[in-house]
Amino acid sequence: MFQENLHYPCMNNIATDFPAEIESSNKKRWHLALATIYCSRAFKTAYNSDYSSLAKLVKDKNVDELANLGGVQGVAASLKSDTTNGVSGDLEDVACRDEAFGSNMYRKAPAKSFFIFVWESFKYPTIIILLIWGALSIVFGIKEDGLKEGWCDGGGIYVAVLLFITVSSITRFRQNRQFDKLSKVSKIIQVEVVRKERRQQISIFEIVVGDVICLKIGDQVPADGILVEGHSLQVDESSMTGESDRVEINLAQNPFLISGTKVVDGYGMMLVTSVDMNTTWGEMMSEISSDYNEHTPLQELLEKLTSSIDKVGWLVALLVLVVQLVKYFTGTTKDENGNKEFNGSKTSSVDVINVVVGSVANAVVIVVVTIPEGLPLAVTLTLAYLMKRMMDDKAIVRKLSACETMGSPTTICTDKTGTLTLNKMIVTKFFLGKGHVKEESHTSISAEVLELFHQGVGLNTTGSVFKSSYPCSSFEFSGSPTEKAILSWAKKKSGVLIKNITDGTIHAHWKGAAEMISRMCSHYYDLEGNVKPLEHSDKEECDRIIEGMAASSLRCIAFAHKQVPKAEQEDHEHMHGNVPDNSLILLGFVGLKDPSRPGMKKAVEDCHSNRMWDSEMHAKMLEVDEGAVIEGEEFRSLTDEERMERVEKICVIARSSPFDKLLMVQCLRKKGHVVAVTGDGTNDAPALKEADIGLSMGIQGTEVAKECSDIVILDAKFASVVTILKWGRCFYINILKFIQFQLTANVAALMINFVAAVSSGEVPLTAVQLLWVNLIMDTLGAFALATEKPTEEVMKKKPVGRTAPLITNIMWRNLMAQALYQIAVLLTLQFKGELIFGFNKRVNDTLFFNTFVLCQAFNEFNVRSMEKKNVFEGIQKNKLFMGIIGITLVLQVVMVEFLKKFANTERLNWGQWGICIGFAAASWPIGWLVKCITVPERPIFSCFM
């Protein structure tokens, strides 16, 4: 195909030069590669000027230079394209054009390497403190115990820090790569091009120089190019120039289209002249990194919480340091023999330094155990998991902040067409004039009237029809759903789509909303082709036909026609006159049906409140009360007070304008609602942008709508909106679970270390052990709790309001109960463990450490459900959770039994392991009892919000 279309004789010889032993697949690859080289040279030779000058032509909008090149037809010919039929679109053709002119993909800033994340991990305050402390531990350890044993404590700190940094860096590096992957998917835009003499959908990245692109309202111009033909085409170039004024695109004064701009009115066809880095948009976007560094409101809130906890930790650490030093220097502390440790000048400076260093070590341990480094990581992990799962459910997240808000909407505003319905229009009724025409009786229509109908359907449209030359192939219709439905219906009835007028007369054709078109008519055609006056009684009959179709959930479209008088023909031929819009002859009505989506009604019922913008007659789809339906014109005419009073009672706004939709969203937000809006058209953009969360429906939605939205729902189903709400609430709940889990451990560890340090002068957990606990809490805990899937119960709860506290009363109840239990058990082990169980100090310390870790692992079961008493319900469905718990327990066994020197532990026997497990498992019945306690809804401890 490529050789025949472009007539490159050199390519006919390529295929004959391959040896017979080369396999067919390799032969094709070599053929394509060599063909690309030859074609690339041919393209550049055919285009006399340098390709960069053509790109400059469009950027500079040089009309005179375009004329010198022969206009758009001359440029198309030099690019081996056709303004009507486009390029051939064969693999060889596309490959040649990519080689000669580049592909439509701009170069991006390089992604962060793994070592960047490692370096960022070293900047954590906790890590810096531990690195310094590790160095000091090695120096003092070697000085006191010698080289063989003295390096162990400091070396253990370094090993633990290295492990922590490695796990953290790998996790964040993987999530960043996942964000990049999802970002690429979200940038995929489908455009309509003409290839092989037919319209077809391709990705924006597949566009090549020479393609003919079809543009309509709401589209983003995908590359630089020149207008081929169009009508009333206007674009918004604010993304490139910063000016908000609309720019008119026409063949005479300004035929140039710049990539990245948006079509705001009209339609047209453009010839692509520049792609990728040769466009202004490509140059600009190459300077912008696509890294997902956006900080969501929840992350900022968590950073404030972390900052508050940090301050508490430093304050307690300073208090411990001061108390210990005061007790030492006042002679309160005693050594093993009962003597005072500090005796003024009699005490050696070495002993004083050792005590001071030990006190600082205790303070460091308290800081390490207090700072919740895992909170930001937990949000990142949860966001990554959520975005991946939502991608599986046909939803692309464009803005990370939407992940938090989408679980909170109290009101959903949605369009009917394409969301509650299939957006696949079909013609089900046809009226010629006032007479109903059945499918089997179309032959009774006058041939003259039928011909006029064909012209009205075939010529007055932005859609098209293609019929392949292959046997038994069917017609392909393109355009909007309404256009495709009308074209499909006309083809089936008459077999003719377009027929040019040959008698020299000019006819005006109109189609549109039936009630508007009928008011423009003064006459109508009957079945025999006679023109009759449209009397008052006839208009009433037409109104009944229109209302009857609307009552049957049909979209009623009217067609009208008028022959232009001879006196006005010359004026219209030179395009100086407007299309006549009065005294028309009514051709007839067609009724288009858009079937409801399966499961739509249940999905709507799952959402407790929603607004629908469409025809008043479709209110019965939701079975709303009559008072809940209002016309858009009536809604906008209300006073501010009346509108605010009625806004929460309205369920359907019929025939609403973009301003009506925006006004509805603004009123609802003023009432305190968290508003979600679904839409797919340019007219939905203002409401999508104003809403708390904008949901653009369908990959076929306009780019303007997608640009103003937070999430793109690929399948355009309203049921997917419900799924997204579930995931949104699940995301927020999972974050709250992790906050409860981490704060429980933080509160318990802080209090235990504080009491132990003040009373006995030493902390029960070493720096290495605390790093290990932090690793479990931060990484493994976040993984376990972030993977909980949404359940049906989440939709039964009230949405999270704007002023909801970050830590609820239920969370306070749960975490304080578990923290107090852990404090009681662990302090008992710390001070009385040796006496109660008869263990030596090293075994008792190991028992303390093991019990503390197991309490956190077992508490993860309690945290899985903050309100349900049965913490094991549905746990078999989350295999990842069970796997992570299993990994945690295995690693703890390794830590205790095999890393004695590294972790400063002693091996435990079966009985001692049973004691640890028994203490940890007791948190389950305690959790069950605590959940029996009812707490008020009014938030407490608001300072932690």
Side-chain angles (χ1 to χ4, degrees):
M1 285 291 293
F2 184 84
Q3 306 129 316
E4 296 174 0
N5 288 345
L6 296 183
H7 306 292
Y8 295 140
C10 59
M11 293 184 61
N12 293 326
N13 299 325
I14 295 175
T16 61
D17 295 335
F18 287 99
E21 64 271 13
I22 297 181
E23 296 181 358
S24 177
S25 60
N26 292 333
K27 184 176 180 181
K28 289 180 180 179
R29 285 196 293 269
W30 277 101
H31 179 268
L32 180 59
L34 293 176
T36 299
I37 296 173
Y38 279 102
C39 292
S40 173
R41 294 173 181 172
F43 270 123
K44 292 178 179 178
T45 303
Y47 187 67
N48 299 325
S49 179
D50 183 32
Y51 173 54
S52 61
S53 65
L54 181 57
K56 188 174 185 295
L57 167 72
V58 177
K59 292 177 183 178
D60 297 342
K61 299 185 177 181
N62 194 328
V63 179
D64 295 334
E65 180 64 21
L66 177 62
N68 294 336
L69 294 174
V72 65
Q73 297 295 337
V75 174
S78 66
L79 294 175
K80 306 298 180 183
S81 181
D82 186 276
T83 57
T84 302
N85 300 324
V87 299
S88 69
D90 294 331
L91 291 177
E92 294 176 357
D93 183 23
V94 172
C96 290
R97 293 176 187 274
D98 281 341
E99 175 67 23
F101 308 119
S103 59
N104 198 35
M105 300 182 72
Y106 55 84
R107 293 190 296 271
K108 299 187 303 179
K112 285 184 178 180
S113 68
F114 172 74
F115 297 101
I116 296 296
F117 290 98
V118 173
W119 174 247
E120 290 178 350
S121 297
F122 273 105
K123 295 180 181 179
Y124 287 152
T126 307
I127 298 300
I128 295 174
I129 293 171
L130 287 173
L131 290 176
I132 296 173
W133 181 244
L136 293 175
S137 296
I138 291 176
V139 172
F140 285 102
I142 293 176
K143 184 178 179 181
E144 186 172 346
D145 301 325
L147 180 63
K148 186 175 182 180
E149 298 290 337
W151 67 271
C152 293
D153 288 343
I157 291 175
Y158 275 115
V159 172
V161 167
L162 180 62
L163 178 63
F164 181 84
I165 287 177
T166 302
V167 173
S168 175
S169 301
I170 291 175
T171 301
R172 292 191 296 121
F173 174 74
R174 287 174 58 87
Q175 304 319 314
N176 185 265
R177 286 292 181 268
Q178 185 175 330
F179 284 145
D180 280 344
K181 186 184 298 184
L182 294 172
S183 175
K184 291 177 183 177
V185 174
S186 68
K187 288 180 172 60
I188 295 177
I189 300 172
Q190 295 293 315
V191 295
E192 191 174 55
V193 303
V194 179
R195 287 185 179 180
K196 298 183 180 180
E197 305 181 8
R198 58 183 278 259
R199 293 189 186 186
Q200 49 188 287
Q201 294 281 340
I202 65 171
S203 165
I204 187 175
F205 302 125
E206 298 175 4
I207 293 174
V208 294
V209 170
D211 264 327
V212 176
I213 310 292
C214 307
L215 299 174
K216 61 183 182 299
I217 295 177
D219 284 350
Q220 176 179 310
V221 179
D224 285 0
I226 306 172
L227 181 68
V228 174
E229 62 175 271
H231 178 71
S232 303
L233 186 62
Q234 292 184 339
V235 299
D236 176 8
E237 295 186 350
S238 59
S239 59
M240 305 301 300
T241 65
E243 301 293 333
S244 59
D245 295 336
R246 296 182 175 186
V247 178
E248 184 176 353
I249 307 296
N250 53 58
L251 294 171
Q253 289 86 21
N254 181 25
F256 303 106
L257 289 149
I258 307 298
S259 64
T261 59
K262 301 288 192 307
V263 178
V264 293
D265 195 13
Y267 66 92
M269 311 278 285
M270 67 168 281
L271 174 71
V272 175
T273 58
S274 304
V275 293
D276 74 336
M277 296 302 296
N278 292 298
T279 67
T280 306
W281 180 257
E283 292 175 356
M284 182 177 69
M285 293 303 293
S286 65
E287 303 298 325
I288 301 175
S289 173
S290 61
D291 186 26
Y292 265 79
N293 283 329
E294 172 192 353
H295 269 215
T296 69
L298 179 60
Q299 285 176 317
E300 293 176 356
L301 200 60
L302 287 174
E303 287 179 359
K304 292 181 181 178
L305 175 64
T306 302
S307 177
S308 299
I309 298 174
D310 288 351
K311 293 175 183 177
V312 173
W314 282 102
L315 182 62
V316 173
L318 181 61
L319 180 62
V320 167
L321 178 62
V322 171
V323 169
Q324 287 188 334
L325 292 179
V326 168
K327 289 175 65 177
Y328 174 74
F329 286 111
T330 57
T332 305
T333 58
K334 297 181 180 181
D335 59 19
E336 297 177 353
N337 300 322
N339 301 321
K340 291 182 179 180
E341 290 187 318
F342 182 75
N343 293 305
S345 59
K346 297 180 181 180
T347 305
S348 66
S349 58
V350 175
D351 292 337
V352 173
I353 292 175
N354 288 337
V355 170
V356 172
V357 169
S359 299
V360 173
N362 293 338
V364 169
V365 167
I366 289 177
V367 171
V368 171
V369 78
T370 304
I371 296 179
E373 299 285 3
L375 286 179
L377 179 62
V379 176
T380 303
L381 291 174
T382 309
L383 278 173
Y385 176 76
L386 174 67
M387 291 176 68
K388 186 176 185 302
R389 293 310 302 261
M390 286 180 60
M391 189 68 187
D392 296 338
D393 287 335
K394 308 297 182 186
I396 298 175
V397 178
R398 297 186 68 254
K399 298 177 183 178
L400 291 181
S401 57
C403 295
E404 301 165 10
T405 317
M406 67 188 181
S408 305
T410 57
T411 300
I412 303 173
C413 301
T414 176
D415 271 332
K416 172 186 69 67
T417 304
T419 303
L420 303 181
T421 62
L422 291 172
N423 201 20
K424 294 181 179 180
M425 308 293 287
I426 56 174
V427 177
T428 59
K429 283 190 179 181
F430 171 39
F431 284 81
L432 183 63
K434 302 184 301 178
H436 181 225
V437 180
K438 296 182 179 179
E439 186 173 357
E440 62 273 8
S441 60
H442 69 277
T443 55
S444 62
I445 303 174
S446 166
E448 180 184 356
V449 177
L450 196 61
E451 172 59 22
L452 290 173
F453 227 115
H454 289 166
Q455 294 176 14
V457 171
L459 294 175
N460 187 22
T461 182
T462 57
S464 67
V465 179
F466 173 77
K467 177 75 163 63
S468 174
S469 58
Y470 293 105
C472 303
S473 61
S474 58
F475 289 97
E476 297 179 13
F477 301 95
S478 63
S480 68
T482 301
E483 297 286 5
K484 289 191 286 187
I486 295 173
L487 290 171
S488 175
W489 165 80
K491 194 68 186 177
K492 291 178 180 178
K493 290 292 183 178
S494 66
V496 176
L497 180 64
I498 297 177
K499 183 175 177 64
N500 295 325
I501 299 174
T502 57
D503 58 3
T505 60
I506 295 179
H507 298 259
H509 286 275
W510 282 84
K511 78 168 186 287
E515 62 271 18
M516 297 176 62
I517 299 297
S518 62
R519 287 196 293 265
M520 297 161 57
C521 299
S522 59
H523 295 75
Y524 72 95
Y525 284 104
D526 62 12
L527 292 175
E528 289 75 28
N530 301 315
V531 178
K532 295 184 178 182
L534 199 60
E535 305 291 348
H536 180 72
S537 59
D538 300 318
K539 291 183 178 180
E540 290 181 345
E541 178 65 23
C542 290
D543 290 340
R544 283 193 289 271
I545 292 173
I546 296 170
E547 291 174 0
M549 287 191 184
S552 301
S553 298
L554 300 180
R555 175 174 293 180
C556 189
I557 304 294
F559 291 84
H561 155 266
K562 179 180 181 180
Q563 181 174 338
V564 179
K566 290 184 178 180
E568 302 176 11
Q569 282 192 16
E570 183 176 350
D571 185 39
H572 282 279
E573 285 178 349
H574 290 85
M575 301 179 67
H576 294 156
N578 295 321
V579 180
D581 58 0
N582 55 48
S583 301
L584 302 177
I585 304 172
L586 180 66
L587 287 170
F589 306 97
V590 294
L592 308 177
K593 185 171 185 177
D594 190 3
S596 299
R597 287 187 180 274
M600 177 275 298
K601 188 172 182 179
K602 182 182 182 303
V604 172
E605 289 173 349
D606 287 342
C607 300
H608 305 293
S609 174
N610 90 77
R611 305 289 189 273
M612 184 172 68
W613 302 323
D614 216 295
S615 171
E616 184 175 344
M617 291 299 178
H618 286 96
K620 68 179 186 179
M621 295 178 66
L622 296 178
E623 299 178 358
V624 298
D625 298 331
E626 184 178 352
V629 181
I630 190 173
E631 290 277 351
E633 185 176 355
E634 179 186 354
F635 179 71
R636 78 179 76 107
S637 64
L638 296 174
T639 65
D640 291 342
E641 293 76 13
E642 291 173 336
R643 196 179 297 117
M644 292 297 290
E645 183 181 349
R646 294 186 56 184
V647 67
E648 292 181 308
K649 302 174 184 177
I650 297 172
C651 288
V652 177
I653 303 182
R655 298 176 180 87
S656 57
S657 68
F659 176 75
D660 298 330
K661 301 177 181 183
L662 176 61
L663 194 59
M664 166 63 81
V665 175
Q666 290 172 338
C667 291
L668 288 169
R669 294 191 70 192
K670 287 179 182 178
K671 279 283 190 177
H673 288 272
V674 179
V675 183
V677 170
T678 74
D680 57 4
T682 305
N683 60 331
D684 300 319
L688 286 168
K689 194 173 186 65
E690 178 69 18
D692 294 285
I693 175 169
L695 305 166
S696 57
M697 307 299 288
I699 198 67
Q700 300 299 331
T702 64
E703 291 309 311
V704 172
K706 293 178 184 177
E707 191 73 22
C708 294
S709 66
D710 304 297
I711 296 174
V712 179
I713 301 178
L714 301 180
D715 59 7
K717 295 178 181 178
F718 190 79
S720 296
V721 175
V722 180
T723 302
I724 285 177
L725 294 181
K726 289 181 180 179
W727 275 113
R729 294 191 182 185
C730 181
F731 163 77
Y732 192 81
I733 291 172
N734 286 348
I735 294 296
L736 296 186
K737 289 176 183 178
F738 184 78
I739 292 174
Q740 178 183 317
F741 169 70
Q742 177 137 44
L743 289 185
T744 302
N746 282 132
V747 171
L750 178 63
M751 293 304 299
I752 291 167
N753 282 279
F754 173 75
V755 172
V758 170
S759 60
S760 65
E762 60 181 18
V763 292
L765 294 175
T766 66
V768 173
Q769 291 172 347
L770 284 175
L771 274 176
W772 172 240
V773 173
N774 277 348
L775 180 64
I776 292 176
M777 290 191 297
D778 293 352
T779 307
L780 298 181
F783 268 120
L785 297 173
T787 55
E788 285 290 330
K789 298 178 182 178
T791 60
E792 295 299 326
E793 286 77 12
V794 298
M795 292 301 290
K796 297 177 182 178
K797 298 179 181 179
K798 292 182 180 180
V800 179
R802 296 180 184 275
T803 60
L806 184 61
I807 306 177
T808 65
N809 290 352
I810 292 175
M811 293 170 62
W812 281 118
R813 177 196 66 187
N814 296 342
L815 76 87
M816 292 306 296
Q818 293 294 335
L820 289 174
Y821 167 72
Q822 292 182 21
I823 292 170
V825 169
L826 293 170
L827 285 179
T828 301
L829 284 176
Q830 172 68 11
F831 294 109
K832 300 295 181 180
E834 297 178 40
L835 179 63
I836 295 174
F837 298 106
F839 303 144
N840 61 44
K841 188 177 187 310
R842 189 172 178 83
V843 171
N844 191 69
D845 289 344
T846 304
L847 201 73
F848 180 98
F849 166 61
N850 200 34
T851 302
F852 181 76
V853 172
L854 293 181
C855 279
Q856 313 317 318
F858 279 54
N859 190 39
E860 288 188 57
F861 289 87
N862 293 317
V863 175
R864 279 190 67 246
S865 176
M866 292 186 285
E867 297 182 65
K868 284 185 179 179
K869 297 177 182 178
N870 183 4
V871 296
F872 304 106
E873 182 178 337
I875 200 169
Q876 72 281 359
K877 298 178 181 178
N878 195 341
K879 297 179 180 178
L880 186 56
F881 177 86
M882 295 303 298
I884 292 174
I885 294 295
I887 291 172
T888 302
L889 297 177
V890 169
L891 291 177
Q892 179 62 17
V893 171
V894 173
M895 192 79 168
V896 172
E897 299 293 327
F898 302 101
L899 300 177
K900 297 170 52 179
K901 184 173 291 188
F902 168 74
N904 196 26
T905 58
E906 190 70 31
R907 285 192 173 185
L908 302 179
N909 57 39
W910 287 105
Q912 293 161 347
W913 271 99
I915 293 172
C916 298
I917 293 174
F919 281 133
S923 65
W924 292 341
I926 291 173
W928 187 92
L929 290 172
V930 167
K931 289 173 184 177
C932 296
I933 302 173
T934 304
V935 292
E937 292 186 4
R938 185 177 179 179
I940 55 176
F941 301 119
S942 58
C943 60
F944 286 98
M945 288 172 56

